[in-house]
Amino acid sequence: MYADHFGLKQAPFSIAPDPRYLFMSERHREALAHLLYGLGGGGGFVLLTGEIGAGKTTVCRCFLEQIPKRCNVAYIFNPKLTVIELMRSVCDEFHIPYPQREPGTATVTDYLDPLNAFLLSMHAVGQNTVLIIDEAQNLSADVLEQLRLMTNLETNERKLLQIVLIGQPELREMLARPGLQQLAQRVIARFHLDALSEAETAQYIRHRLAVAGLTGPIPFAADTLRRIHRVCGGVPRRINLLCDRALLGAYASHKEVVDRQVVDKAASEVFDDATGSSASPASTRRGALWVALFTGLVLGVAGWWVVRSLERPAVAASVNAATVSASAASAASLAMSAASAVEAPASTPVAATSSLPFDARTDFARLPSQKDEAWTALGDYWKAQLGSGERAPCISAQDQQLPCVRMTTTLAIIRQLDRPGILTLRDANGQVAFAVLTALDIDSATVLVGAQPMRMPLGMLAVMWEGEFATLWRAPAGYRAPLNDGGTGTVVDTLATQLAAWSGEPAPTAGRAFDAALKVRVAAFQRAQGLKSDGIAGPTTFMQLNRVSGVAEPRLSLATPVR
């Protein structure tokens, strides 16, 4: 209804899980990295918890997409089951035949024995098996104990079943109970997904508006974005509900920009109250006292202002009370600081653009057959002039402190590296072409055909792409080769500083050597990012450090050149 009024092609804040609107914050990426790390942990439990609407389903969708092909997956989304019902559901999900019994006569063994035989057969052919249970806070103690016993299915080398539990914070409390200590000790990776920060909330709103077709300024004032974050507690689902109603309210009031009055009215209609005191259990627990004090200050100032205005209209604009003036000034300063933080981008995202479906029969021939043409197009995203020839693009990029990286990899790694790059494609006849990858969604990739972005289903890409990928990254001053043992200098200082910032520690002093302790810190960072934890600081490690540190680099999104 309001889309045309704000220059949008569609409503941007639907709560439907449209993959085009996928927004992965840093904490969502970190949650995904923990799940992927747990997948290779050799069996046991992986735990992901988060508040309602915090984005657990988003992470789970990405996780399912990035699970290797030689991996069998069962997904149970209704865990309010008895032990027998659970075992039957697991066998059904894996398509395991089992004896048919009369109702009420089946036993756990009827399902456990076929499951064990299935797991052994999959292990024999080199396939892993994963069981994912959503809403796991609804599991009974008996079912949890049965899940623990299922992880006893193992060979001499490894456990045969990996179980991923996804649920609300109560799940952590359940596993902390004395009767479930044995299960808790088998959790090899766990992550609690917090809500979005204030800056991430603003980025989330901008992202969804851009996907919906917005090309101009967003229709939310900076202080309004801060208000939305406070009311919603940074929970994406609540942000969607509030922003959708606020845009509708602004449209009904013939306003071009959503102001705070519209947001508060929308909050009173969508939620229990306009102050957002019930916004999110997590945000309430973290900041109940601050919310109460801030709300009291705002209401006190507002009430005083109304009374003052009614009694003395002529001098309503003059505030003489020193304490109120100081409080108002402090609040204004806080709002300005928050607005500045919201406006500061964490990276160099690329703007939205429309894309057309990729036709393998006609569009493949339009892709460049010479890699230097693709390098030229990729250089546009980095504001870099790259030369022509087999080695010239990388030589000229190196001169601009933008080393080339060529690798054989997977879409999962490319999604983590989060940067445009060049894919080497081959058609059914063996003809080679080079496509610049500019966006990667849940079910499609966007590549440049000439200057036109075109959307290619991931199934089509899998047929044409064998894993060859090339990209650029912004190297720290002094970088010449991967850092392993020994060495000092500016590049080591930069590495140590970025690692300290990532872990929330003070910046180290200059002159740090790449010693054993620093290598351990590099390995810890690599594990958290889902990389090979060898402690060697090479291109992929620095790429991820750049991303978490906010170094300005082009990102994989709805990308267009920055020139």
Side-chain angles (χ1 to χ4, degrees):
M1 182 180 296
Y2 57 74
D4 290 341
H5 179 73
F6 292 105
L8 302 168
K9 296 180 180 178
Q10 56 189 198
F13 294 105
S14 169
I15 61 173
D18 189 337
R20 293 175 300 169
Y21 288 89
L22 175 66
F23 176 82
M24 290 284 282
S25 70
E26 290 300 320
R27 63 204 70 212
H28 286 84
R29 295 181 191 278
E30 194 171 347
L32 178 60
H34 277 75
L35 291 181
L36 292 171
Y37 167 73
L39 187 62
F45 290 90
V46 178
L47 188 66
L48 173 63
T49 56
E51 301 291 349
I52 298 173
K56 299 185 297 295
T57 300
T58 298
V59 174
C60 185
R61 282 172 179 264
C62 292
F63 177 61
L64 287 171
E65 176 195 325
Q66 299 184 35
I67 286 178
K69 291 182 179 179
R70 296 183 62 81
C71 188
N72 303 288
V73 180
Y75 185 89
I76 295 178
F77 57 87
N78 179 22
K80 287 189 175 182
L81 304 169
T82 64
V83 171
I84 297 295
E85 291 170 338
L86 169 77
M87 297 300 300
R88 183 167 59 245
S89 296
V90 170
C91 288
D92 288 341
E93 286 291 315
F94 286 127
H95 305 289
I96 302 172
Y98 50 83
Q100 299 297 323
R101 307 291 190 192
E102 292 293 328
T105 63
T107 65
V108 172
T109 305
D110 292 332
Y111 306 103
L112 190 60
D113 289 346
L115 174 62
N116 190 29
F118 169 79
L119 294 174
L120 287 170
S121 66
M122 292 300 100
H123 175 70
V125 296
Q127 295 190 14
N128 295 329
T129 306
V130 179
L131 171 62
I132 301 175
I133 301 180
D134 206 352
E135 301 295 340
Q137 75 279 354
N138 293 320
L139 293 169
S140 66
D142 290 342
V143 171
L144 284 170
E145 175 60 15
Q146 181 59 47
L147 290 172
R148 183 189 70 81
L149 294 175
M150 288 165 63
T151 62
N152 287 337
L153 303 175
E154 58 188 358
T155 66
N156 291 332
E157 296 85 17
R158 69 191 311 274
K159 293 185 179 297
L160 299 177
L161 183 63
Q162 179 80 67
I163 300 178
V164 178
L165 301 179
I166 301 174
Q168 296 172 22
E170 303 91 274
L171 180 60
R172 292 190 301 177
E173 300 170 5
M174 291 170 56
L175 299 185
R177 296 173 185 169
L180 293 173
Q181 285 181 347
Q182 287 183 303
L183 189 152
Q185 291 172 1
R186 299 192 183 191
V187 176
I188 61 174
R190 65 179 72 208
F191 189 85
H192 182 72
L193 186 61
D194 287 322
L196 300 177
S197 67
E198 189 174 305
E200 288 169 337
T201 296
Q203 293 168 7
Y204 175 82
I205 293 172
R206 290 189 176 95
H207 167 76
R208 294 191 71 99
L209 287 167
V211 175
L214 184 70
T215 57
I218 66 170
F220 291 91
D223 64 329
T224 306
L225 294 174
R226 179 171 178 263
R227 178 62 173 167
I228 291 171
H229 173 74
R230 183 170 298 280
V231 171
C232 298
V235 177
R237 189 179 302 163
R238 293 178 62 88
I239 295 171
N240 287 351
L241 292 170
L242 180 56
C243 287
D244 182 70
R245 185 61 62 88
L247 287 172
L248 180 62
Y251 164 74
S253 303
H254 306 287
K255 294 183 176 181
E256 299 296 327
V257 176
V258 177
D259 56 27
R260 176 162 178 162
Q261 180 182 4
V262 172
V263 168
D264 286 346
K265 186 174 187 298
S268 67
E269 296 171 352
V270 176
F271 306 132
D272 292 336
D273 55 70
T275 64
S277 59
S278 61
S280 157
S283 60
T284 301
R285 285 193 292 267
R286 287 194 304 266
L289 179 59
W290 164 247
V291 171
L293 291 174
F294 184 81
T295 303
L297 172 63
V298 171
L299 293 178
V301 173
W304 179 89
W305 183 263
V306 170
V307 173
R308 183 75 168 175
S309 300
L310 291 174
E311 291 179 349
R312 299 186 181 182
V315 294
S318 175
V319 182
N320 296 320
T323 57
V324 174
S325 296
S327 300
S330 176
S333 174
L334 182 61
M336 291 175 65
S337 299
S340 299
V342 167
E343 292 299 328
S347 63
T348 315
V350 282
T353 186
S354 59
S355 58
L356 300 174
F358 185 92
D359 189 325
R361 294 170 298 177
T362 59
D363 293 322
F364 183 87
R366 298 169 55 200
L367 291 170
S369 58
Q370 301 298 320
K371 188 175 287 189
D372 58 350
E373 296 179 45
W375 279 113
T376 299
L378 181 62
D380 287 346
Y381 290 89
W382 297 82
K383 297 183 178 179
Q385 296 288 340
L386 304 182
S388 299
E390 180 62 27
R391 301 179 59 190
C394 287
I395 293 174
S396 56
Q398 179 69 54
D399 292 341
Q400 300 169 70
Q401 206 64 24
L402 298 171
C404 294
V405 176
R406 295 182 176 91
M407 63 180 76
T408 300
T409 186
T410 64
L411 286 181
I413 296 297
I414 292 176
R415 192 182 297 277
Q416 286 180 264
L417 296 179
D418 192 20
R419 64 197 54 240
I422 300 171
L423 304 175
T424 303
L425 305 181
R426 291 176 175 82
D427 67 4
N429 299 318
Q431 297 297 315
V432 177
F434 302 97
V436 176
L437 176 71
T438 62
L440 192 56
D441 300 321
I442 288 293
D443 55 3
S444 66
T446 301
V447 298
L448 288 184
V449 179
Q452 174 64 52
M454 306 202 75
R455 191 171 60 256
M456 179 185 295
L458 294 186
M460 181 188 299
L461 180 62
V463 173
M464 305 174 70
W465 181 61
E466 298 179 354
E468 296 177 58
F469 180 70
T471 188
L472 302 172
W473 63 286
R474 200 172 302 282
Y479 180 88
R480 292 293 179 269
L483 303 178
N484 192 354
D485 294 317
T488 58
T490 305
V491 64
V492 177
D493 291 339
T494 301
L495 173 66
T497 299
Q498 288 182 311
L499 288 171
W502 170 72
S503 59
E505 300 176 0
T509 57
R512 174 71 183 268
F514 194 89
D515 52 14
L518 187 55
K519 189 169 184 176
V520 168
R521 293 174 65 86
V522 170
F525 173 79
Q526 291 168 330
R527 282 193 298 272
Q529 299 298 314
L531 303 176
K532 180 181 178 181
S533 57
D534 55 11
I536 300 174
T540 53
T541 299
F542 274 109
M543 287 183 202
Q544 291 299 83
L545 277 170
N546 286 352
R547 183 176 60 78
V548 301
S549 302
V551 174
E553 293 180 316
R555 299 294 181 205
L556 268 182
S557 59
L558 295 175
T560 53
V562 294
R563 278 186 179 174

